[in-house]
Amino acid sequence: MRLGLRIIVLIKQVPDIEKVRFDVETGRIDRSSAPAETNPFDLHALEAGLQIKEKLGGSVTVISMSPRQAESSLKDALARGADRAILLTDTRLAGADTIATAKALAAAIRKLGEFDLILCGEKTVDGDTGQVGPEVAELLGIPHAAYVCEIREITHEWIKVVSDMGDKYLYELKLPALLTVTRELNSPRLPTLKDLLRAKRSQVEVWTADDLSEYVPLDQLGFQGSKTRVVKVVIPSTEHRRGIMLRGDEAVEKIGMIILSEVLGK
Amino acid sequence: MSRRGILVYAETIGSEIHPVTFELIGKARELAEKLDLEVWSTILGYGIADKAAELIYHGADKVYVYDDERLRDLNVIAHKSVLVELAKEIEPEIFLLGATPWGRSLAPRIAAALDTGLTADCIDLQIDKDGELLQIRPAFTGNILAHIKTSSRPIMATIRYRVMKMPQRDPSRKGEIIIRKFNDVDCDGIKCLGKVSERRINLADAEVVVAGGRGLKKKEDLVLLEELANLLGGVVGVSRPLVEEGWISKDHQVGFSGNVVKPKLYIACGISGSPQHLAGMRDSGMIIAVNSDPSAPIFRHADYGVVADLYEFIPKLILLLKNRKEM
Ligand SMILES: Cc1cc2nc3c(=O)[nH]c(=O)nc-3n(C[C@H](O)[C@H](O)[C@H](O)COP(=O)(O)OP(=O)(O)OC[C@H]3O[C@@H](n4cnc5c(N)ncnc54)[C@H](O)[C@@H]3O)c2cc1C
Ligand SMILES: Nc1ncnc2c1ncn2[C@@H]1O[C@H](COP(=O)(O)O)[C@@H](O)[C@H]1O
């Protein structure tokens, strides 16, 4: 029998969404305007991977496709207990839409060799699509379950999960499989100071596009390989809101009238 | 020569068609007139064949029906395989699905199999001056709206529920229903073992949402909001911390990682207005915010802002509404 499960967690570094600024003219995101952090949903994917490893043995490998600075998120993942971290970074990978991202990630996973389980966040707070996970699954020809809020049981052959699609459904997936997870699944652990210090010295492996060329044609990656293009970005204005401020008993009266006339149609 | 078309995936819940389907057909109809295309739809499931006519009544010209026991469950691989085969055969220009959890799980697999672009969670589709399709979607947790074009075919997009107009149902409309069979379908790797729980409330359909946040001091105080919601024929929504505290189920959460709502009236009580919360309610018809802190960000997104302690304001409002209602 094989020992342990080979688990892969896909993580992305994102800007702190409360602080980030946008350039309306060019439609570009000014990533320097906000500190970067690991996509909050991906921490739950990592936690799930670590818990499964603790139960069944095996290894957790984290992969991210990002500019060089995402190394800090990968080191944070190592501090939390991941065994291996790989950063895909190359200007030829930049500007990728979800399909081009999924192709690069799927190629990296193929290069790593055999695996049992891939874990992703439900979505990212920047791209906000939730598409990369299922696309990777399709490219690798494995089943997936999205919006997983509970892992019921896992063996070396299969996994039973609850998928939250409004109504909740129980699925059994044959391994290898991919899950995208919600924040309900677990509470991510925090790395200890000792772990952080250890991880500081640990190595993140850096791969470029050339490392993937055996597994995917390079013209399918990055901006060149993207099928969708952002042609314009607008900041939704809230100016159409009246912003009328009220206080005290006058407010009760006024709001009461508004509700009666506009909503209850009286 | 056969005409080209826009394909709309008809999502079914049990044996009912999800209403987002009709909204998409309505939008597809509008685009089809401008682009000189037909509107096609496809419905998959078991015991659903008699529903196909509804798709025509709402605006489809042709409906491809796959009624098969192997499609009874929400098996993403089985449904994907059938839809990929169909898309390869009929080659739609545009392929639309609802941005429901199921649609958002299914669509990316189809896009990857067809090697085409997919735009998630659109809130509008327009034709630009060059006659090309613009897909408009929120990104960065609703902080921006991106206009997106796709260079590959079909152009695929998932579209949010309740952002497009519901078309008029016209039972005299005629169209073609095409019953399809298929031989092999690969659905080995995944098995649906059934529903474990039902969504208890449907925030997305609510006309009035009375929402509470951390301004509430304890779980029992939710009753206050419930009373107001009942009075207005609405439902209770909450910000995320209340779900995390275990005060109420996730079905009630409004926001980026909860439900996107678009009621006629949204009343936010004791909610600060974080970007993640705003992402779920900023498109509401009218927004009223009640908050004791005059600098709370929610006020910048409200039509009416009430600076007050919700524990004083809400009971008074309830009283007033009760009195007036009786009159
Ligand atoms: C990845 C991610 C996803 C998230 N998804 C969601 C989501 O889907 N939905 C969501 O809501 N949040 C989400 N959040 C959390 C979000 O960032 C905020 O933490 C949350 O929305 C804050 O909730 P709140 O406004 O209720 O609480 P607070 O920010 O603590 O605000 C409470 C407000 O109540 C007011 N108040 C206090 N007492 C009273 C009183 N007696 N009367 C009147 N007003 C009073 C205060 O002035 C304050 O403004 C997400 C966060 C992350 C990182
Ligand atoms: N560049 C990336 N590198 C690694 N993982 C990613 C990347 N982009 C997306 N993912 C994974 O895919 C999930 C969904 O992302 P998205 O489709 O962008 O919303 C994320 O939560 C990650 O797990």
Side-chain angles (χ1 to χ4, degrees), chain A residues 172-206:
Chain A
E172 180 181 311
L173 287 82
K174 224 196 270 172
L175 300 183
L178 182 146
L179 311 178
T180 78
V181 311
T182 72
R183 298 177 59 123
E184 263 183 296
L185 180 64
N186 54 38
S187 321
R189 69 195 63 191
L190 289 170
T192 64
L193 195 60
K194 198 171 115 233
D195 293 333
L196 284 170
L197 290 173
R198 178 180 48 79
K200 252 209 163 103
R201 293 188 305 269
S202 59
Q203 280 302 311
V204 168
E205 295 164 55
V206 177

Side-chain angles (χ1 to χ4, degrees), chain B residues 158-191:
Chain B
T158 62
I159 319 286
R160 258 191 208 168
Y161 179 33
R162 278 167 63 94
V163 298
M164 307 292 180
K165 269 217 316 281
M166 178 62 82
Q168 282 283 329
R169 178 177 186 272
D170 173 5
S172 67
R173 247 191 128 258
K174 297 276 175 287
E176 193 184 347
I177 292 178
I178 303 155
I179 305 286
R180 286 303 184 91
K181 298 264 173 275
F182 56 92
N183 295 325
D184 288 332
V185 67
D186 145 44
C187 46
D188 252 8
I190 180 163
K191 243 190 330 218

Side-chain angles (χ1 to χ4, degrees), chain B residues 26-286:
Chain B
K27 188 68 188 186
R29 191 76 260 157
E30 179 195 318
L31 297 173
E33 305 302 334
K34 289 187 187 149
L35 298 172
D36 191 26
L37 299 169
E38 288 187 342
V39 176
W40 304 332
S41 186
T42 180
I43 182 165
L44 286 67
Y46 186 48
I48 43 79
D50 58 330
K51 294 288 186 302
E54 282 301 320
L55 301 167
I56 289 173
Y57 301 160
H58 285 86
D61 299 309
K62 248 186 217 170
V63 181
Y64 296 87
V65 181
Y66 295 86
D67 197 338
D68 190 297
E69 200 171 354
R70 290 166 292 177
L71 297 172
R72 184 185 52 205
D73 294 330
L74 293 179
N75 182 316
V76 74
I77 306 264
H79 286 241
K80 180 256 332 185
S81 307
V82 170
L83 289 166
V84 167
E85 280 312 302
L86 177 67
K88 282 184 176 161
E89 178 195 328
I90 65 175
E91 296 184 342
E93 278 294 301
I94 300 170
F95 186 176
L96 306 177
L97 300 90
T100 58
W102 168 248
R104 288 185 70 163
S105 174
L106 177 64
R109 287 205 80 119
I110 299 170
L114 297 174
D115 196 22
T116 194
L118 170 64
T119 307
D121 215 17
C122 296
I123 58 167
D124 201 6
L125 299 174
Q126 296 172 0
I127 309 292
D128 73 359
K129 57 179 188 330
D130 305 320
E132 293 183 62
L133 186 72
L134 270 185
Q135 303 154 81
I136 300 170
R137 69 172 299 253
F140 278 82
T141 313
N143 282 290
I144 65 168
L145 285 179
H147 293 226
I148 291 172
K149 280 191 188 178
T150 304
S151 55
S152 53
R153 292 295 177 272
I155 299 173
M156 285 188 70
T158 62
I159 319 286
R160 258 191 208 168
Y161 179 33
R162 278 167 63 94
V163 298
M164 307 292 180
K165 269 217 316 281
M166 178 62 82
Q168 282 283 329
R169 178 177 186 272
D170 173 5
S172 67
R173 247 191 128 258
K174 297 276 175 287
E176 193 184 347
I177 292 178
I178 303 155
I179 305 286
R180 286 303 184 91
K181 298 264 173 275
F182 56 92
N183 295 325
D184 288 332
V185 67
D186 145 44
C187 46
D188 252 8
I190 180 163
K191 243 190 330 218
C192 183
L193 305 177
K195 214 188 266 187
V196 292
S197 69
E198 298 245 344
R199 181 208 303 265
R200 262 154 295 171
I201 62 151
N202 200 343
L203 271 190
D205 285 326
E207 297 266 300
V208 175
V209 175
V210 180
R214 275 223 301 237
L216 289 173
K217 296 193 178 68
K218 53 183 196 303
K219 182 180 174 183
E220 290 67 35
D221 299 342
L222 278 167
V223 175
L224 204 58
L225 303 189
E226 247 161 51
E227 191 179 353
L228 181 57
N230 288 341
L231 211 52
L232 302 176
V235 296
V236 170
V238 293
S239 66
R240 200 185 76 189
L242 274 53
V243 175
E244 296 199 328
E245 285 295 328
W247 290 7
I248 194 164
S249 72
K250 174 129 193 236
D251 310 353
H252 293 267
Q253 182 178 323
V254 174
F256 181 61
S257 45
N259 298 278
V260 177
V261 301
K262 200 184 154 195
K264 277 211 287 208
L265 173 65
Y266 191 86
I267 308 182
C269 310
I271 292 177
S272 63
S274 69
Q276 293 88 341
H277 190 81
L278 293 168
M281 43 65 79
R282 67 183 343 142
D283 295 328
S284 303
M286 180 188 286

Side-chain angles (χ1 to χ4, degrees), chain A residues 10-12 39 41-42 45 63-66 98 101 105 119-124 126-133:
Chain A
L10 302 180
I11 66 173
K12 188 180 181 192
N39 181 41
F41 296 92
D42 300 351
I63 307 179
S64 188
M65 180 179 94
S66 256
T98 64
T101 301
L105 293 169
L119 297 161
C120 299
E122 160 192 336
K123 58 184 167 185
T124 50
D126 56 354
D128 201 347
T129 78
Q131 289 177 177
V132 168

Side-chain angles (χ1 to χ4, degrees), chain A residues 15 17-18 20 22 29 31 41 97-99 103 122-131 134-135 137-139 141-147 152 160 162 164-174 182-184 220 226-236 238 240-249 251-260 262-264 266, chain B residues 74-77 80 101-102 104-105 108-109 111-113 115-120 134 137-152 188-199 208 231-232 240 244 250 256-257 264-265 267 274-276 282-288 294 299-307 313 316-317 320-321 324-325 327:
Chain A
I17 207 71
E18 310 247 350
V20 67
F22 308 94
I29 318 303
R31 287 183 191 263
F41 296 92
D97 69 355
T98 64
I99 280 277
K103 283 182 182 169
E122 160 192 336
K123 58 184 167 185
T124 50
V125 298
D126 56 354
D128 201 347
T129 78
Q131 289 177 177
E135 285 174 347
E138 179 64 25
L139 293 170
I142 60 173
H144 85 275
Y147 306 102
R152 286 259 171 111
K160 275 188 195 163
V162 176
D164 185 354
M165 296 196 285
D167 296 337
K168 292 182 180 169
Y169 294 88
L170 183 64
Y171 283 101
E172 180 181 311
L173 287 82
K174 224 196 270 172
T182 72
R183 298 177 59 123
E184 263 183 296
Q220 303 207 2
S226 296
K227 320 268 186 196
T228 59
R229 296 261 185 283
V230 176
V231 292
K232 194 167 110 189
V233 164
V234 289
I235 314 283
T238 47
H240 64 283
R241 297 285 175 197
R242 281 156 277 189
I244 298 168
M245 298 297 284
L246 303 163
R247 285 166 201 266
D249 284 341
V252 180
E253 187 68 24
K254 188 89 200 280
I255 296 293
M257 295 323 290
I258 291 162
I259 291 177
L260 285 170
E262 298 209 12
V263 183
L264 299 179
K266 280 206 177 184
Chain B
L74 293 179
N75 182 316
V76 74
I77 306 264
K80 180 256 332 185
W102 168 248
R104 288 185 70 163
S105 174
R109 287 205 80 119
D115 196 22
T116 194
L118 170 64
T119 307
L134 270 185
R137 69 172 299 253
F140 278 82
T141 313
N143 282 290
I144 65 168
L145 285 179
H147 293 226
I148 291 172
K149 280 191 188 178
T150 304
S151 55
S152 53
D188 252 8
I190 180 163
K191 243 190 330 218
C192 183
L193 305 177
K195 214 188 266 187
V196 292
S197 69
E198 298 245 344
R199 181 208 303 265
V208 175
L231 211 52
L232 302 176
R240 200 185 76 189
E244 296 199 328
K250 174 129 193 236
F256 181 61
S257 45
K264 277 211 287 208
L265 173 65
I267 308 182
S274 69
Q276 293 88 341
R282 67 183 343 142
D283 295 328
S284 303
M286 180 188 286
I287 297 174
I288 297 175
F299 286 136
R300 294 202 296 275
H301 303 271
D303 297 287
Y304 294 94
V306 180
V307 184
F313 180 79
K316 282 186 188 163
L317 182 63
L320 180 138
L321 291 172
R324 296 292 158 87
K325 255 188 144 175
M327 272 162 47

